[in-house]
């Protein structure tokens, strides 16, 4: 397809779901009701670590207005020593995270749940549940969890043959690391720490579930995957997937945090036991205490380079918190951290560490910001020691097409170098700085993902188009799909409506996550639309009685081509739809496939900060993010992904952190003290969309959603150094920490 | 909870009558803007069985100016007081302190009375009220009395109100010629945070000399403090470096903070000095303008 | 004790409801009146998703008791489009892609409208501070601020 001729691809069209969202009509997880609906509430652990000796629910059951009570004894039993893998999750852990079984492993861990006439009664009933605990010592921080006499969370997890809180490791190796460091003229090694941070999606987890006496189950909930909801609920409750219909509500943000279930299986059990639809909505405090943040971390990075600026060796060790159950995103940390560079000798190593915190969940490029933070800060120091511009230094070592990455693959066409060049030629790079202002740079990478996707494209009787896909739309993907469909069919974008199907109406589609949605759904929508075009040509061929091959589809109509050119009056989509019945019936096509060919995404950011050295406050005053986005199907929503990711990174760098008190409880479970950036904290976030199309995708799409959160942590740390000459090795760089270090 | 009572009396007498009969054990609660009370009810910290909404009582909603002396009703919301332009010209420090509380949405409700009675050591308007020299009028079963703001609190979350007493209004002294006040706080973000340190300064200048000064600090002790040693250091000075430094050290010495999730002891002490100096500069600038 | 009976006006329509003393306006809107356009995100005044106006004043509906709304005029997101036509802010939010997930949008729109009723020529800083109580986790605020600027400009042009 010729770029210049695009009518809809690359245009900022109005999103199909927009009107509903600006008028309050859109229905999110907590916005629906069903007749006879009752309310569910969760009883949560008051201790960070304890064995559950017994649970007595009798008093709760007897309270007026209570319909049903659920505990882990109502769930399918998954023995702790047998993995049950679903995607990247293990159902053994998922079931125990949803309702604690043998032990409670963090403060806020669900133990039981009650469904009652009102939320208030359900809460009261929860208080009547008697739990007998055997309280154990606990470990919150990584150092406490890995010291020799640490309290062990899971007895059967062994490391080096001994019970341990190290639940897994992962490493990547390339070349010969010792030789690499021998070749280096300069070597810098530093240690880093980051605090656990929450995705901070505004919509709290919510669902409404109705189970009939024959177990037919309808789940209305907001998640990053209705099929994930169906599968996990099926595993945990034992109801077959065919009996569960999971309907995706509009989702009020997820950023990875809604790729697992918390409430759906519990509400299903409560509904099954009560015979009533059960609604459950978490409070903000419950979200903060018991839903996944991402890992806090400790790491050590060592980089060696020659005086000519070539990196000879790099080594990184990353310890990431998993929370109560195994599964820290060490792959993102150890796998992405060196990905932008062509480094002959490298070794990265990740440790998955469990401790008495809530189980981590995916958060935008899981693990990658942690790895990149350490590496990009050390690179800044190396560049300084070599007296090189940090961008030129990166350019000198940049990975290109053909580079073998430390994490394995050999890169195809990619646009990392282009992001560096775009930054070097951007006015921001040369803009003057005032006193106590500084500029920092950093790059980042995310794998991106393909995976299963399904779509159905149907032509309505009046000749318009309905597209159904299976991925919840968090950031405007429906708008992009409308653009692509309209482009392919050559019709006005307003004639295309795009819907998200439920598990009964569309084929299996994997999670909205990994920056995969548009990549994958564009593939299946393109294939389905091409099939529809083929059918349309076929119908025209029947009407004209000529060969299908002699027909072209152009500008929304079938035209006779070749020898027949000009012989018949073209047939428009509307005309063909009118004749659908006599020419063969309804017109539509679907496609389902495991998509492949998702290529990684690279970004480079420039950040300016200003530091109030008397108060220790660093503020971001200018920000520019350049990213290889493949092809921006809807540029405004691509920019939005970059801007949103950057700002989450700014929060992570400066003020966000999980703070635990001496009793092992989270001390800041609300937006007053868990400080996500507010509007007045920020400047405009400039974006540079570098377009190096992904050759393996019909429209050239690359995932764009995750990369932008990778560079900010180090870009800001490097900018602060540039402003005041002090380097920070621990996040967040909150005012007390900054001031303390400056005054030292 | 279904038997919780909600009443909204029209007169102070009615309110005091109900309040004094049932205010023991904190089971009856006064509702002004509710920006503290509703949060406390939601979290279970407060579970009143009677809620008295005082926003229909005339005196508590009134703003009056008697020849330069302002009286501000205890339940007047920040957004409302801001619209009273002349008040801000007289007491810019008090207004900016009140306006710093929460967001625009919170401003539609939050009152000086609520901020004072909630008695958080970090309440933003309290240091500014102390520095202004305002007094507070309270009405109870035994009638009315006036209190200086600095003696209103007895500790975190605790006031010296007697059983059944309601705060009616704030009375500001007539603003002195060539005086000015200012309030600054330190928060990690630019908005929506609770003060880690707050400092208010009110100075009067004659012939470049400081003839009166009141300095108050918030969030650095169990209650907001009037720092008399800082005033002493300033009064009589020309705000020369030594005097200002001495006053700043007095601020630091007055601090008796805690380490908590919002800041450390050493951080709060350092910052109290910085904020004092910055607030002083602002107050002087305002004083010089009139 | 019996429930409290309240007569109020919501989006210009007389409305009567029964509530309990602890019920907030947000509880009644969402749970009893099924007006779910106003969102509940924190219930503690920190996020602004529940923004409404009461007698023209911007407030968090999670921090107003339902019983306090007797004889008041409440405006919610549901009342913003008039006679089937978008308010200018609704239009500019769509045109500027100022929403991603959209959960903050109703509160953001109500707050922005209240700003523009006071000030049709706000600076970027004024917009940012006015909206500081409206959290958005998706957009980084950039496009929201631009959409408000665009709406203000349109209002000025038509003034
Ligand atoms: C999101 C958010 C942000 C906030 N930010 C800040 C901030 O930056 N700085 C700050 O200082 N505070 C802040 N607060 C707290 C709160 O808004 C202020 O303390 C506010 O001034 C309280 O006023 P109100 O009228 O809402 O009080 P209410 O909640 O109505 O009352 C507070 C307390 O005082 C009692 N009371 C109220 N009026 C009287 C009276 N006249 N006589 C006797 N007792 C009375 C009540 O019974 C209650 O115990 C914030 C709150 C929220 C929700
Ligand atoms: S829900 Fe009311 S401010 Fe968040
Ligand atoms: S668009 Fe998702 S929170 Fe604002």
């Amino acid at each position: 397809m010729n770029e210049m001729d695009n009518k809809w691809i690359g245009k900022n069209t109005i999103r199909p779901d927009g009107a509903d969202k600006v008028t309050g009509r859109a229905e999110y997880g907590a916005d629906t009701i069903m007749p006879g609906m009752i309310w569910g509430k969760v009883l949560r652990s008051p201790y960070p670590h304890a064995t559950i000796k017994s649970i007595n629910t009798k008093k709760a059951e007897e309270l007026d207005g209570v319909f049903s009570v659920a505990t882990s004894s109502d769930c399918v039993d998954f023995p702790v020593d047998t993995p049950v893998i679903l995607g990247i999750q293990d159902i053994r852990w998922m079931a125990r995270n949803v309702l604690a079984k043998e032990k409670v492993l963090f403060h806020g861990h669900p133990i039981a749940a009650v469904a009652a006439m009102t939320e208030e009664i359900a809460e009261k009933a929860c208080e009547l549940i008697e739990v007998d605990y055997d309280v154990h010592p606990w470990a919150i921080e990584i150092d406490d969890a890995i010291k020799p006499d640490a309290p062990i969370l899971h007895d059967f997890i062994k490391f080096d043959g001994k019970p341990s809180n190290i639940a897994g490791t992962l490493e990547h190796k390339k070349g010969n690391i010792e030789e690499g460091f021998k070749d280096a003229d300069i070597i810098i090694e530093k240690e880093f720490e980051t605090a656990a941070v929450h995705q901070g999606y505004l919509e709290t987890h919510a669902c409404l579930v109705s189970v009939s006496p024959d177990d037919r189950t309808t789940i209305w909930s907001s998640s990053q995957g209705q099929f994930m909801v169906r599968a996990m609920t099926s595993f945990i409750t034992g109801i077959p997937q065919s009996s569960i219909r999971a309907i995706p509500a509009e989702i009020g943000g997820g950023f990875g945090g809604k790729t697992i279930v918390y409430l759906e299986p519990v509400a299903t059990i409560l509904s099954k036991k009560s015979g009533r639809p059960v609604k459950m909505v978490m409070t903000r405090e419950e979200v903060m205490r018991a839903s996944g943040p991402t890992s806090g971390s400790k790491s050590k990075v060592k980089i060696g380079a020659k005086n000519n600026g070539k990196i000879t060796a790099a080594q990184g060790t990353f310890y990431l918190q998993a929370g109560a159950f195994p599964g820290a995103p060490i792959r993102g940390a150890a796998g992405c951290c060196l990905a932008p560079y062509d480094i002959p000798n490298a070794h990265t190593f990740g440790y998955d560490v469990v401790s008495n915190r809530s189980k981590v969940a995916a958060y935008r490029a899981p693990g990658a910001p942690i790895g990149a933070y350490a590496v990009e800060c050390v690179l800044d120091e190396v560049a300084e020691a070599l007296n090189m511009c940090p961008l030129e230094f990166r350019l000198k070592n940049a990975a290109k097409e053909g580079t073998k990455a430390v994490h394995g693959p050999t890169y195809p066409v990619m646009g990392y170098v282009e992001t560096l060049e775009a930054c070097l030629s951007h006015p921001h790079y040369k803009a003057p700085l005032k006193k106590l202002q500084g500029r920092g740079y950093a790059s980042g990478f995310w794998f991106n993902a393909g995976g299963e996707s399904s779509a159905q494209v149907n032509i309505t009787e009046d000749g318009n188009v309905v597209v159904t896909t299976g991925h919840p739309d968090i950031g405007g993907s429906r708008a992009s799909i409308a653009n692509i469909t309209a482009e392919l069919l050559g019709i006005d974008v307003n004639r295309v409506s795009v819907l998200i199907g439920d598990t009964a109406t569309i084929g299996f589609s994997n999670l909205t996550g990994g920056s995969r949605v548009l990549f994958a759904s564009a593939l299946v929508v393109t294939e389905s639309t091409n099939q529809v075009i083929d059918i349309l040509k076929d119908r025209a061929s029947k009407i004209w009685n000529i060969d299908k091959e002699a027909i072209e589809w152009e500008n929304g109509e079938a035209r006779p081509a070749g020898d027949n050119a000009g012989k018949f009056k073209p047939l428009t989509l509307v005309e063909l739809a009118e004749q659908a019945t006599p020419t063969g019936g309804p017109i539509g096509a679907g496609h389902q496939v495991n998509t492949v060919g998702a290529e990684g995404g690279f970004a480079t950011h420039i950040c300016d900060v200003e530091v109030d050295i008397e108060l220790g406050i660093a503020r971001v005053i200018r920000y520019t993010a350049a990213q290889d986005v493949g092809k921006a199907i809807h540029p405004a929503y691509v920019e939005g992904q970059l801007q949103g990711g950057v700002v989450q990174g700014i929060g992570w760098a400066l003020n966000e952190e999980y703070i635990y008190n001496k009793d092992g409880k989270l001390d800041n479970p609300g937006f007053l003290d868990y400080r996500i950036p507010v509007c007045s904290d920020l400047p405009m976030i400039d974006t540079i969309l570098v377009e190096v199309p992904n050759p393996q995708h019909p429209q050239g799409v690359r995932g764009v959603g995750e990369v932008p959160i990778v560079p900010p942590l180090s870009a800001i740390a490097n900018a602060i150094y540039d402003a005041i000459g002090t380097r920070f090795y621990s996040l967040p760089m909150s005012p007390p920490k900054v001031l303390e270090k400056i005054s030292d | 909870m279904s038997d919780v009572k909600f009443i909204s009396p029209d007169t102070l007498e009615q309110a005091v009558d109900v309040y004094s009969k049932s205010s023991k054990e904190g089971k009856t609660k006064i509702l002004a803007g509710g920006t503290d009370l509703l949060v406390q009810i939601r979290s279970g910290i407060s579970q009143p069985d009677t809620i008295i909404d005082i926003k229909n009582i005339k005196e508590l909603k009134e703003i009056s100016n008697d020849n330069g002396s302002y009286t501000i009703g205890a339940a007047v919301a920040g957004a409302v007081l801001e619209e009273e332009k002349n008040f801000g010209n007289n007491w810019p420090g008090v207004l900016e302190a009140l306006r710093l509380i929460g967001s625009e949405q919170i401003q539609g409700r939050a009152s000086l009375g609520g901020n004072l009675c909630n008695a958080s050591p970090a309440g933003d308007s309290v240091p500014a009220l102390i520095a202004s020299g305002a007094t507070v009028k309270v009405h109870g079963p035994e009638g009315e009395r006036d209190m200086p703001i600095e003696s209103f609190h007895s500790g975190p979350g605790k006031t010296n109100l007697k059983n059944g007493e309601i705060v009616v209004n704030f009375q500001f002294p007539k603003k002195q010629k060539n005086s000015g006040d200012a309030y600054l706080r330190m928060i990690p973000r630019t908005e929506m945070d609770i003060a880690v340190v707050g400092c208010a300064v009110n100075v009067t200048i004659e012939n470049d000399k400081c003839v009166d000064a009141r300095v108050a600090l918030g969030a650095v002790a169990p209650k907001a403090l009037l720092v008399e040693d800082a005033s002493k250091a300033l009064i009589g000075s020309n705000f020369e470096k030594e005097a200002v430094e001495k006053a700043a050290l007095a601020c630091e010495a007055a601090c008796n903070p805690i380490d908590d999730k919002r800041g450390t002891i050493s951080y709060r002490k350092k910052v109290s000095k910085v904020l004092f100096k910055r607030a002083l500069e602002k107050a002087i600038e305002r004083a010089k303008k009139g | 004790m019996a429930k409290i009976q309240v007569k109020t006006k919501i989006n210009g329509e007389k409305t009567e409801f029964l509530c309990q003393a602890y019920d907030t306006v947000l509880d009644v809107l969402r749970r009893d009146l099924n007006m779910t356009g106003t969102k509940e995100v924190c219930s503690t005044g920190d996020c602004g998703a529940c923004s409404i106006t009461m007698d023209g004043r911007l407030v968090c509906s999670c921090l107003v008791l339902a019983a306090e709304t007797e004889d008041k005029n409440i405006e919610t997101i549901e009342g913003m489009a008039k006679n089937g036509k978008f308010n200018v802010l609704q239009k500019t939010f769509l045109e500027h892609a100022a929403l991603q997930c959209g959960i903050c949008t109703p509160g953001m729109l109500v707050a922005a409208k209240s700003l523009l009723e006071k000030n049709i020529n706000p600076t970027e800083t004024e917009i940012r501070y006015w909206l500081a109580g409206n959290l958005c986790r998706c957009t980084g605020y950039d496009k929201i601020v631009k959409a408000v600027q665009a709406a203000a400009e349109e209002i000025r042009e038509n003034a």
Side-chain angles (χ1 to χ4, degrees), chain C residues 26 39-51 60-63 133:
Chain C
L26 183 61
K39 301 300 174 197
E40 177 160 20
V41 160
C42 70
S43 326
T44 49
D46 298 311
C47 77
C50 66
S51 295
C60 293
S61 60
C62 70
L63 292 184

Coordinates of all heavy atoms in Angstrom, one line a residue, chain C residues 26 39-51 60-63 133, ligand 2:
Chain C
L26 N -22.5 10.2 45.9 CA -22.0 9.2 44.9 C -22.7 7.9 45.1 O -23.1 7.3 44.1 CB -20.5 9.1 45.1 CG -19.8 8.1 44.1 CD1 -19.9 8.6 42.7 CD2 -18.3 8.0 44.5
K39 N -18.0 8.5 38.3 CA -17.2 7.3 38.7 C -16.7 7.3 40.1 O -16.4 8.3 40.7 CB -16.0 7.2 37.7 CG -16.3 7.1 36.3 CD -17.2 5.9 36.0 CE -17.7 5.8 34.6 NZ -18.8 4.9 34.4
E40 N -16.5 6.1 40.7 CA -15.9 5.9 42.0 C -14.6 5.3 41.9 O -14.5 4.2 41.4 CB -16.9 5.1 42.9 CG -16.3 4.8 44.3 CD -17.4 4.4 45.2 OE1 -18.5 3.9 44.8 OE2 -17.1 4.5 46.4
V41 N -13.6 6.0 42.3 CA -12.2 5.5 42.1 C -11.5 5.4 43.5 O -10.7 4.5 43.7 CB -11.4 6.4 41.2 CG1 -9.9 6.2 41.3 CG2 -11.9 6.1 39.7
C42 N -11.7 6.3 44.4 CA -11.0 6.3 45.7 C -11.9 6.5 46.9 O -11.6 6.0 47.9 CB -9.9 7.4 45.7 SG -10.6 9.0 45.8
S43 N -13.0 7.1 46.7 CA -14.0 7.4 47.8 C -13.4 8.3 48.9 O -13.9 8.4 50.0 CB -14.6 6.2 48.4 OG -14.7 5.2 47.5
T44 N -12.2 8.9 48.7 CA -11.6 9.7 49.7 C -11.2 11.1 49.2 O -10.4 11.7 49.9 CB -10.3 9.0 50.2 OG1 -9.5 8.6 49.1 CG2 -10.7 7.8 51.1
G45 N -11.7 11.5 48.1 CA -11.5 12.9 47.7 C -10.2 13.1 46.9 O -9.8 14.2 46.6
D46 N -9.4 12.0 46.7 CA -8.1 12.1 46.1 C -8.0 12.1 44.6 O -7.0 12.5 44.0 CB -7.2 11.0 46.6 CG -7.0 11.0 48.1 OD1 -6.8 12.1 48.7 OD2 -7.2 10.0 48.8
C47 N -9.1 11.7 43.9 CA -9.0 11.4 42.5 C -9.8 12.3 41.6 O -9.5 12.5 40.4 CB -9.2 10.0 42.2 SG -11.0 9.6 42.2
G48 N -10.9 12.8 42.1 CA -11.8 13.7 41.3 C -12.7 13.0 40.3 O -13.4 13.6 39.5
A49 N -12.6 11.6 40.2 CA -13.4 10.9 39.2 C -14.9 11.1 39.5 O -15.8 10.9 38.6 CB -13.1 9.4 39.2
C50 N -15.2 11.4 40.7 CA -16.6 11.5 41.1 C -17.1 13.0 41.1 O -18.1 13.3 41.7 CB -16.8 11.0 42.5 SG -15.9 12.0 43.7
S51 N -16.4 13.9 40.4 CA -16.7 15.3 40.4 C -18.1 15.6 39.9 O -18.6 15.0 38.9 CB -15.7 16.0 39.5 OG -14.4 16.0 40.0
C60 N -16.4 16.9 45.2 CA -16.3 15.4 45.0 C -17.6 14.9 45.6 O -17.9 15.0 46.7 CB -15.1 14.9 45.8 SG -13.5 15.4 45.2
S61 N -18.3 14.1 44.7 CA -19.6 13.6 45.2 C -19.4 12.5 46.3 O -20.3 12.2 47.0 CB -20.5 13.1 44.1 OG -19.8 12.0 43.4
C62 N -18.1 12.0 46.4 CA -17.8 11.0 47.4 C -17.7 11.7 48.8 O -17.6 11.0 49.8 CB -16.6 10.1 47.1 SG -15.1 11.0 47.2
L63 N -17.6 13.0 48.8 CA -17.4 13.7 50.1 C -18.5 14.6 50.4 O -18.4 15.6 51.1 CB -16.1 14.5 50.0 CG -14.8 13.7 50.0 CD1 -13.5 14.6 50.1 CD2 -14.7 12.7 51.2
G133 N -6.7 18.0 41.0 CA -7.5 17.0 41.8 C -8.1 16.0 41.0 O -8.9 15.2 41.5
Ligands
LIG2 S1 -14.0 8.9 44.2 FE1 -14.4 10.8 44.9 S2 -12.5 11.8 44.7 FE2 -12.1 9.7 44.1

